[in-house]
């Protein structure tokens, strides 16, 4: 295939490397200086390997080896692989929250793809925010792209049982706080919790986003669930590299893949997998980049149709590794097929229906159930609205105590996470199992960055009484590995004078999931009076990226993207010749 467009269209990189003028000379020299001979790049599509490897992310620490397999595939197919780093967002080490930086990483990815001579790009990502950040950037750059996620980590084993990284930690931490576990046992849990690279092995946000990527059609079928240490992940990586070369030639862009039908399929996979509430935010942001009309109500509409099919923690029993052995996301989608948009195009070049044609149904019904006999009925992830959440809030009902899904109780209000830490285990705290724990000041602007603080811990004195779940309401997010009757992402958030700011301890709050309501049982006029007299907290950042974030982040119901990042960017290859070939700095 040549740069003249034979095989599908003109390659973007031809604008850099072809010609007899000085800029083309300089561009070619840049590659020669790296040791490439003309034959290494002449006539070959340039495939970027966008790698979020970092020693600051244990989940991604195998990505150099994974990228080498991608490189092998690109070379096999006749392309030129050029790897480049991106910002990396380590869920466990980065403070205050990776969500503060998702959009910054997305900008890094978008501008790197946009401004370099890349004909296609392989997005290598694995931890919670690296996947959506790379997707957002690639969607806006709109250069042919395919994603390779990192795969779930090998599960640890504790007390003879395979454990996830988050879900089991939250349970055992409650045991420790309730006096049911010793400090020594807790230390043993810590030692057992992280035996390998790879993302969290339950259906947390990273596993969810990997499945969602497959649902969107942005990776090869089967790529989501192969374990990080399994040889088959490296085989998939090479296949992704080969396919990227073909995508460059065919010029299949994300805008052709990321259609309304693709979003519906991704949401269906999210719901059938019992996936993370965080995926709701990321998909809303991605839709905004793609010009696709998507709002919270679409999630709720699909939730009424799609049951839980994957019996994976935190909504079920197993880990993602078992899902892989039961057939992975292709087998899950095979069960879902009657509810999917089968005509949606994917990066394979086939439609979803075409991809599923040869997929076998799972033979392990203990992990992947059928539509006729699901693990749990539909409505596992719902959107509630009402006087406390006019812009909506999200509840993962499949991971909550069913008895709490219709509940009315007095509020116990916390202003920010420091207030929780200071008071939650205070024996004098006026709280009962019927109370509704309200955490505010933790939304996109408030915290800022909307950390995963929404699953407020159960007060110690209630844990000791055997209470394991309570209704909680917050403008924060929660970990995809977490569970409970938690109304999250309340919009508008408290610090923007949303109704959450008007709640006082003792006010009655009612949650009615079947009727999709979340209400503060205080007269509207009183809420208005309280908000009129309310003073917002001081702004947290006055300079740098933090100030940019505060000025431009949207609310959770719009995906927390920056308002100026919606839509796509112009491709330099489409710009006037003089712009691209203008003399570069230093010449
Ligand atoms: Fe990286 Fe969970 S901490 S995937």
């Amino acid at each position: 295939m040549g740069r003249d467009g034979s095989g599908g269209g003109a390659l973007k990189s031809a604008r850099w490397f072809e010609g007899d003028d000085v800029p083309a000379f300089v561009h070619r020299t840049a590659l020669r200086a790296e040791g490439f001979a003309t034959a290494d790049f002449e006539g070959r599509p340039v495939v970027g390997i966008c790698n979020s490897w970092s020693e600051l992310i244990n989940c991604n620490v195998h990505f150099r080896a994974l990228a080498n397999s991608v490189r092998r595939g690109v070379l096999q197919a006749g392309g030129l692989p050029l790897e480049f780093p991106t910002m990396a967002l380590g869920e466990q080490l980065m403070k205050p929250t990776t969500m503060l930086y998702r959009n910054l990483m997305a900008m890094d990815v978008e501008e790197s793809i946009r401004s370099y001579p890349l004909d296609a790009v392989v997005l290598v990502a694995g931890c919670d925010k690296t996947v959506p950040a790379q997707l957002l950037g690639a969607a806006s750059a709109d250069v042919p792209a395919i994603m390779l996620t990192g795969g779930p980590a090998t599960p640890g084993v504790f007390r003879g049982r395979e454990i996830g990284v988050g879900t089991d930690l939250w349970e055992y931490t409650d045991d420790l706080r309730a006096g049911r576990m010793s400090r020594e046992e807790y230390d043993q849990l810590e030692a057992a919790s992280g035996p390998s690279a790879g993302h969290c092995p339950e259906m947390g946000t990273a596993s969810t986003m990997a499945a969602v990527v497959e649902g969107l059609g942005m990776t090869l079928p089967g790529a989501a669930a192969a374990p990080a240490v399994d040889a088959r992940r490296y085989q998939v990586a090479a296949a992704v590299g080969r396919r990227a070369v073909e995508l460059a030639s065919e010029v299949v862009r994300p805008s052709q893949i990321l259609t309304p039908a693709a979003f519906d399929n991704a949401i269906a996979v999210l719901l059938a997998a019992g996936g993370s509430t965080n995926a709701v935010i990321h998909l809303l942001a991605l839709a905004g980049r793609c010009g696709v009309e998507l709002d919270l109500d679409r999630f709720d509409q699909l939730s009424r149709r799609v049951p839980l099919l994957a019996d994976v923690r935190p909504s079920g029993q197993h880990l993602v590794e078992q899902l892989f052995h039961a057939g992975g996301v292709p087998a899950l989608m095979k069960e879902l097929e009657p509810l999917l948009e089968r005509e949606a195009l994917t990066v394979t070049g086939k439609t979803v229906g075409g991809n599923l044609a040869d997929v076998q149904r799972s033979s392990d019904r203990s992990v992947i159930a059928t539509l006729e006999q699901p693990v749990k009925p539909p409505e596992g992830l719902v959107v509630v609205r009402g006087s406390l959440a006019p812009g909506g809030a999200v509840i993962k009902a499949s991971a909550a105590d069913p008895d709490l899904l219709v509940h009315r109780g007095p509020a116990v209000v916390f202003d920010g996470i420091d207030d929780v830490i200071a008071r939650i285990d205070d024996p004098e705290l006026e709280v009962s199992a019927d109370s509704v724990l309200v955490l505010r000041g933790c939304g996109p602007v408030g915290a800022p960055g909307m950390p995963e603080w929404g699953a407020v811990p159960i007060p110690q004195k209630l844990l000791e009484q055997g209470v394991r779940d309570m209704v909680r309401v917050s403008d924060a997010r929660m970990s995809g590995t977490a569970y409970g009757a938690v109304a999250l992402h309340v919009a508008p958030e408290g610090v923007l004078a949303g109704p959450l700011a008007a709640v006082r301890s003792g006010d009655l709050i009612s949650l009615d999931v079947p009727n999709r309501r979340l209400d503060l049982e205080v007269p509207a006029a009183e809420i208005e009076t309280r908000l009129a007299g309310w003073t917002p907290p001081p702004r947290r950042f006055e300079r740098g990226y933090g100030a940019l974030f505060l000025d431009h982040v949207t609310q959770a119901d719009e995906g927390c993207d920056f308002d100026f990042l919606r839509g796509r960017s112009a491709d330099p290859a489409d710009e006037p010749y003089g712009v691209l070939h203008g003399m570069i700095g230093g010449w």
Side-chain angles (χ1 to χ4, degrees), residues 137-389:
S140 283
D142 207 25
V143 167
I146 181 169
M147 178 160 263
L148 176 69
T149 49
T154 299
V157 177
F158 180 66
R159 293 175 170 170
R161 175 176 177 265
E162 287 193 330
I163 53 172
V165 169
T167 306
D168 297 281
L169 172 63
W170 314 132
E171 280 191 31
Y172 286 125
T173 300
D174 280 350
D175 283 348
L176 178 77
R177 294 171 64 233
R180 292 189 290 266
M181 181 186 239
S182 70
R183 188 70 229 184
E184 290 70 31
E185 289 173 302
Y186 198 65
D187 290 344
Q188 290 164 11
L189 173 68
E190 180 181 322
S193 285
S196 87
H199 54 69
C200 296
E202 60 270 75
M203 195 54 73
T205 302
S207 297
T208 300
M209 289 308 298
V212 160
V213 168
E214 214 171 306
L216 284 168
M218 284 296 292
T219 191
L220 297 183
V229 300
D230 194 301
R232 284 165 284 188
R233 174 149 298 282
Y234 292 83
Q235 294 165 16
V236 168
V240 165
R242 289 191 293 273
R243 183 60 194 148
V245 177
E246 295 169 357
L247 286 171
S249 167
E250 296 163 9
V251 199
V252 177
R253 299 179 184 277
S255 53
Q256 294 164 261
I257 310 287
L258 298 172
T259 60
F263 280 90
D264 276 359
N265 288 341
I267 294 168
V269 169
L270 161 68
L271 297 166
S276 165
T277 45
N278 289 317
V280 175
I281 295 178
H282 300 318
L283 281 169
L284 289 167
L286 185 62
R289 298 298 185 101
C290 301
V292 169
E293 295 285 335
L294 180 67
D295 58 22
L296 283 175
D297 292 336
R298 187 61 181 157
F299 288 83
D300 201 68
Q301 287 163 8
L302 292 172
S303 176
R304 292 175 191 270
R305 303 213 301 258
V306 181
L308 179 69
L309 298 184
D311 195 351
V312 177
R313 286 174 237 173
S315 295
Q317 307 176 57
H318 299 289
L319 294 170
V320 177
E321 193 166 303
Q322 281 82 48
L323 179 69
F324 172 68
H325 294 305
V329 174
L332 185 70
M333 291 179 71
K334 189 74 177 176
E335 297 304 325
L336 269 178
E337 194 170 0
L339 302 179
L340 294 178
E341 299 289 341
R342 298 179 72 258
E343 297 309 312
L345 181 66
T346 75
V347 289
T348 64
K350 297 182 192 170
T351 62
V352 167
N355 288 340
L356 291 175
D358 296 327
V359 172
Q360 301 294 312
R361 295 185 70 178
S362 178
S363 57
D364 190 348
R365 293 294 173 215
S366 72
V367 182
I368 299 177
T370 64
L371 286 174
E372 295 71 32
Q373 290 186 297
V375 179
K376 291 182 184 174
E379 307 188 43
L381 191 155
V382 303
V383 175
V384 292
R385 296 178 190 272
S387 61
L388 193 49

Side-chain angles (χ1 to χ4, degrees), residues 388 403-413 430-438 470-473 485 503-512 517-522:
L388 193 49
D403 292 339
L404 291 173
L405 297 180
V406 178
H407 182 84
R408 183 167 180 260
V412 178
V413 178
E430 284 192 36
V431 66
S432 73
D434 288 335
S435 299
V436 175
L437 305 179
V438 174
M470 294 174 70
V471 173
R472 288 155 274 181
V473 178
V503 184
R504 293 177 182 167
S505 288
D507 289 344
L508 284 175
I509 290 176
S510 60
L511 171 68
D512 183 349
R517 297 291 307 180
L518 180 63
D519 290 292
L520 175 61
E521 294 193 9
V522 170

Side-chain angles (χ1 to χ4, degrees), residues 48-53 59-60 62-71 121-127 130-131 134-135 145-151 199 206 209-210 213-214 218-228 232-241 244 347:
I49 302 175
C50 178
N51 195 345
S52 57
W53 174 88
C59 315
N60 294 12
H62 58 311
F63 279 12
R64 280 177 164 167
L66 214 49
N68 278 338
S69 294
V70 174
R71 183 188 308 278
V121 64
V122 176
L123 308 165
V124 185
C127 200
T130 58
V131 174
Q134 287 197 349
L135 275 180
I146 181 169
M147 178 160 263
L148 176 69
T149 49
H199 54 69
M209 289 308 298
V213 168
E214 214 171 306
M218 284 296 292
T219 191
L220 297 183
R232 284 165 284 188
R233 174 149 298 282
Y234 292 83
Q235 294 165 16
V236 168
V240 165
V347 289

